Amino acid sequence: MGTVLVTGATGTLGREVVRLLVARGVAVRGLSRRVRDGGDGVAWVVGDLVSGAGIAEAMAGVEVVVDCATTQKKEDLAGVRTLVARAREAGVRHLVYVSIVGIDRIPIAYYTTKLGCEQVVRESGLGWTVLRATQFHDLVLRFFDASVKLPVFPVLSGTACQPVDVREVAVAVADLAGEEPAGFAPEVGGPQVRSYRELAEAYLRAAGKRRLLLTLRLPGAAARGFRAGGNLTPDRAVGRGTFEEALERRFGGH
């Protein structure tokens, strides 16, 4: 494998992908919006996907691009368009794009944007691979960290999650980066499908907190999509790390 450019290299997933690739002896270039010190085996470059600043320079001599970047806003679409254009100019061989399970089944704004990004990648003319994963443990924990600050703890009625350890997704991404373009790769899902209430109760136990659980049944097509399991991939429950293990790492013995 030649030089790999990782976008979103300082994010939850990007950090793990960078760490794995460096450990495998790969020449890694990490894209950041701010200047960063070296010494970690990564050649850091400064660039901004949304504005396009520095992206052509970051892409020079790169063979594989792994796109882990997200603003969680509509700007992601402009960022992917910029990335694809500069990758074509640089002669990049393979673009790996990390996406989310269920974005074609649940009509929320962020998922619609991600679906549009996938389309840009598919139509890029580059060799491409798209990997969809279920929600990371970290994301579920952030939701619960916010919820526990409220007088009551909201629980989504009829909704299940299949959280996955980000480190396991990073392994799949790093593996794909070293292979030939595969189109849509097999999805990566967590080991267990769990109700939102069950996960919330496990969080409260691990955190040593007591809260009244308030069941919410949200209206709209997006909520119906979640209740129908559009965010799940039970046939691809390939992850091993459980939510309880993530809670143990977070809270230990409180």
Side-chain angles (χ1 to χ4, degrees), residues 29-191:
R29 192 175 297 171
L31 183 69
S32 173
R33 284 177 291 183
R34 293 179 292 278
V35 176
R36 294 187 176 272
D37 296 330
D40 48 9
V42 183
W44 290 102
V45 291
V46 177
D48 188 300
L49 287 169
V50 176
S51 71
I55 303 304
E57 295 80 1
M59 202 73 69
V62 166
E63 182 175 337
V64 178
V65 174
V66 176
D67 188 12
C68 300
T70 180
T71 63
Q72 298 187 345
K73 299 176 182 177
K74 291 183 178 180
E75 284 83 352
D76 279 1
L77 201 50
V80 169
R81 287 175 177 144
T82 297
L83 188 71
V84 162
R86 301 292 85 79
R88 282 200 303 258
E89 293 168 0
V92 166
R93 178 181 63 81
H94 187 187
L95 170 59
V96 180
Y97 181 74
V98 183
S99 192
I100 306 169
V101 167
I103 60 172
D104 51 347
R105 300 189 291 266
I106 300 175
I108 60 176
Y110 180 49
Y111 282 14
T112 300
T113 297
K114 293 291 283 187
L115 199 58
C117 291
E118 285 188 358
Q119 182 176 355
V120 172
V121 170
R122 295 198 319 268
E123 297 174 355
S124 66
L126 300 165
W128 61 273
T129 300
V130 169
L131 176 68
R132 291 180 177 179
T134 54
Q135 286 72 32
F136 302 153
H137 291 144
D138 307 67
L139 178 63
V140 179
L141 288 171
R142 284 202 296 272
F143 277 130
F144 290 167
D145 287 344
S147 297
V148 79
K149 297 175 183 177
L150 302 174
V152 293
F153 197 108
V155 173
L156 301 179
S157 171
T159 300
C161 298
Q162 191 180 350
V164 67
D165 190 323
V166 66
R167 297 171 298 181
E168 295 177 321
V169 178
V171 170
V173 172
D175 288 347
L176 290 168
E179 299 171 359
E180 292 301 309
F184 279 101
E187 295 177 338
V188 175

Side-chain angles (χ1 to χ4, degrees), residues 152-156 197 212-216:
V152 293
F153 197 108
V155 173
L156 301 179
R197 171 177 286 272
L212 176 65
L213 298 181
L214 176 64
T215 301
L216 298 178

